[in-house]
């Protein structure tokens, strides 16, 4: 289990408008950031995880006047932590969406992909407004 008290070696946060174009822009930012950091994990997998989480937030977490927030953090031996925060405080499809995807439904496929590419996947309410969805992508699996 990683030491959650130790500060991350690298930490980056960016706010984006709640529009579909955000997902494409964030993919470019994440790829550039991880390449600059010389992160040793699978950058394509990390970009896909970010893309799926942001697309979900933009689609289901949109409230006028609010942004979606993306945080990347890399700590020693912890892999990459991806946090996506939106202004909606619930996540009704977190557990049920995966079953729908497995049964051939349209919803939940992105969450299924995220679960397959990550070693941890959870969500929690944020103080004040909204929630944060957190995923951790393993390091050194290229």
């Amino acid at each position: 289990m990683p030491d959650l008290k130790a500060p991350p070696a690298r930490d980056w946060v960016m706010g984006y408008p709640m529009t579909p174009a955000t997902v494409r822009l964030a993919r470019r930012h994440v790829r550039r950031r991880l390449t600059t950091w010389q992160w040793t994990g699978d950058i394509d997998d990390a970009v896909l995880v970010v893309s799926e989480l942001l697309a979900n937030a933009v689609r289901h977490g949109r409230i006028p006047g609010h942004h979606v927030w993306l945080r990347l953090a890399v700590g020693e031996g912890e892999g990459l932590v991806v946090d996506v925060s939106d202004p909606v405080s619930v996540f009704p499809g977190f557990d049920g969406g995966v079953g729908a995807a497995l049964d051939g439904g349209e919803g939940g496929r992105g969450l299924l992909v995220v679960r397959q590419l990550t070693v941890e996947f959870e969500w929690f309410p944020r103080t004040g407004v909204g929630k944060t969805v957190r995923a951790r992508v393993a390091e050194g699996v290229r």
Side-chain angles (χ1 to χ4, degrees):
M1 182 105 206
D3 179 9
L4 298 179
K5 295 178 184 170
R10 309 260 190 203
D11 197 6
W12 176 77
V13 178
M14 179 68 76
Y16 295 96
M18 290 285 219
T19 66
T22 283
V23 178
R24 183 178 69 230
L25 179 60
R27 281 194 300 258
R28 291 176 54 201
H29 288 164
V30 169
R31 184 173 301 282
R32 184 176 301 139
R33 179 68 46 185
L34 295 178
T35 300
T36 300
W37 286 351
Q38 298 178 350
W39 186 63
T40 61
D42 189 317
I43 292 175
D44 290 333
D45 284 357
V47 169
L48 182 55
V49 167
V50 168
S51 181
E52 292 294 341
L53 294 180
L54 277 174
N56 199 41
V58 167
R59 183 174 182 193
H60 302 291
R62 184 181 304 177
I63 293 179
H66 290 270
H67 286 75
V68 62
W69 290 92
L70 170 64
R71 175 180 177 257
L72 303 178
V74 176
E76 283 298 313
E78 295 180 17
L80 171 70
V81 174
V82 176
D83 286 343
V84 174
S85 300
D86 67 53
V88 174
S89 61
V90 296
F91 197 156
F94 185 76
D95 295 319
V98 173
L102 292 174
D103 292 337
E106 291 298 314
R109 290 184 181 152
L111 295 182
L112 183 60
V113 167
V114 170
R115 288 178 196 278
Q116 291 174 341
L117 296 177
T118 60
V119 293
E120 286 181 34
F121 185 44
E122 63 183 340
W123 76 278
F124 48 89
R126 282 188 356 219
T127 303
V129 64
K131 69 177 168 300
T132 296
V133 178
R134 176 169 289 163
R136 189 164 59 90
V137 181
E139 204 167 356
V141 292
R142 283 186 184 176

